[in-house]
Amino acid sequence: QSALTQPASVSGSPGQSITISCTGTRSDVGSYNFVSWYQQHPGKAPKLMIYDVSKRPSGVSNRFSGSKSGNTASLTISGLRAEDEADYYCCSYVGGGGVFGGGTKLTVL
Amino acid sequence: QVQVVQSGAEVKKPGASVKVSCEASGYTFTDYYIHWVRQAPGQGLQWMGWINPNSGATNFAQKFQGRVTMTGDTSISTAFMELSRLTSDDTAVYYCARAVAGPKYLQHWGQGTVVIVSS
């Protein structure tokens, strides 16, 4: 299964909103709502931020939201903060296994 | 609270095998899937597979089939991942993670285990 496609990098200023896209195919993102997003700070383990396309685990800020249209899922972070600077990975669970996107580095200017 | 603690760093020679452990606490070990994910230096996350600790069932990414073994010891609430025939390309941080919603999402991650393959 091929990796999902994410932009290598995005940036935004504090207080702004940014969106990270995650493009798959009709066989994964397009057919199932088993999309999740993970945040990873340097040297740390990933953290689950979004699951089932748009649901937030307990404790995750409501500044993080997810959506999906066709074969593309998106993560939106509103009210950017310095601590949001990290790598973000999307993941699709399909066919009994997971496939990650290549990751997007978010820089808060 | 849920905790997942992994074994320490390993240095292996090409051709050898490595076995990484993942000790779970704070929940019933057999109730949740455990996944393994790796990250090569400067690279992204790569899903390796999962184990259902209750049944022992496993599912692996095609890339690792035939070379990876995932097991669980319910008596000590610990999952294991063994990777054989190591090459330098297997140098990475290996993570285990407890899933939620069946096997679909990785919510509780271990701290990662560095595996270096070098002659």
Side-chain angles (χ1 to χ4, degrees):
Chain A
Q1 195 155 16
S2 300
L4 307 177
T5 300
Q6 299 181 230
S9 63
V10 299
S11 62
S13 299
Q16 289 185 331
S17 294
I18 63 94
T19 296
I20 300 171
S21 62
C22 170
T23 301
T25 67
R26 281 185 299 178
S27 299
D28 42 57
V29 175
S31 292
Y32 303 95
N33 288 331
F34 305 145
V35 176
S36 52
W37 289 89
Y38 299 86
Q39 175 193 64
Q40 187 182 34
H41 288 108
K44 300 295 186 181
K47 176 184 177 182
L48 178 65
M49 304 300 285
I50 296 286
Y51 69 99
D52 281 353
V53 173
S54 60
K55 297 178 182 176
R56 283 187 307 275
S58 174
V60 172
S61 171
N62 60 8
R63 297 186 299 106
F64 292 83
S65 61
S67 62
K68 189 184 84 167
S69 177
N71 299 338
T72 298
S74 298
L75 173 71
T76 298
I77 308 173
S78 60
L80 268 180
R81 298 178 179 175
E83 59 261 37
D84 298 333
E85 185 163 292
D87 293 326
Y88 291 84
Y89 296 89
C90 62
C91 183
S92 176
Y93 187 84
V94 63
V99 58
F100 285 98
T104 298
K105 181 175 180 57
L106 168 62
T107 300
V108 180
L109 301 171
Chain B
Q1 73 282 19
V2 175
Q3 281 197 309
V4 179
V5 179
Q6 299 182 223
S7 50
E10 303 265 11
V11 179
K12 296 292 183 181
K13 294 197 182 300
S17 297
V18 68
K19 191 171 186 177
V20 180
S21 69
C22 173
E23 182 178 2
S25 61
Y27 71 96
T28 301
F29 179 64
T30 50
D31 283 353
Y32 296 88
Y33 288 70
I34 293 282
H35 288 250
W36 292 88
V37 174
R38 77 177 188 181
Q39 187 169 36
Q43 303 299 309
L45 303 175
Q46 185 173 39
W47 182 76
M48 298 181 69
W50 54 247
I51 178 170
N52 178 338
N54 184 48
S55 65
T58 54
N59 188 35
F60 307 133
Q62 190 169 9
K63 176 182 175 68
F64 300 102
Q65 286 182 4
R67 207 160 66 91
V68 69
T69 303
M70 294 180 187
T71 56
D73 186 336
T74 58
S75 69
I76 55 173
S77 298
T78 300
F80 300 91
M81 185 284 298
E82 184 170 21
L83 189 63
S84 63
R85 304 194 301 277
L86 294 170
T87 72
S88 58
D89 289 342
D90 294 315
T91 293
V93 177
Y94 288 76
Y95 293 100
C96 66
R98 196 206 83 171
V100 291
K104 294 191 291 293
Y105 307 117
L106 286 58
Q107 186 168 30
H108 300 281
W109 293 68
Q111 80 277 20
T113 296
V114 173
V115 175
I116 296 172
V117 182
S118 173
S119 56

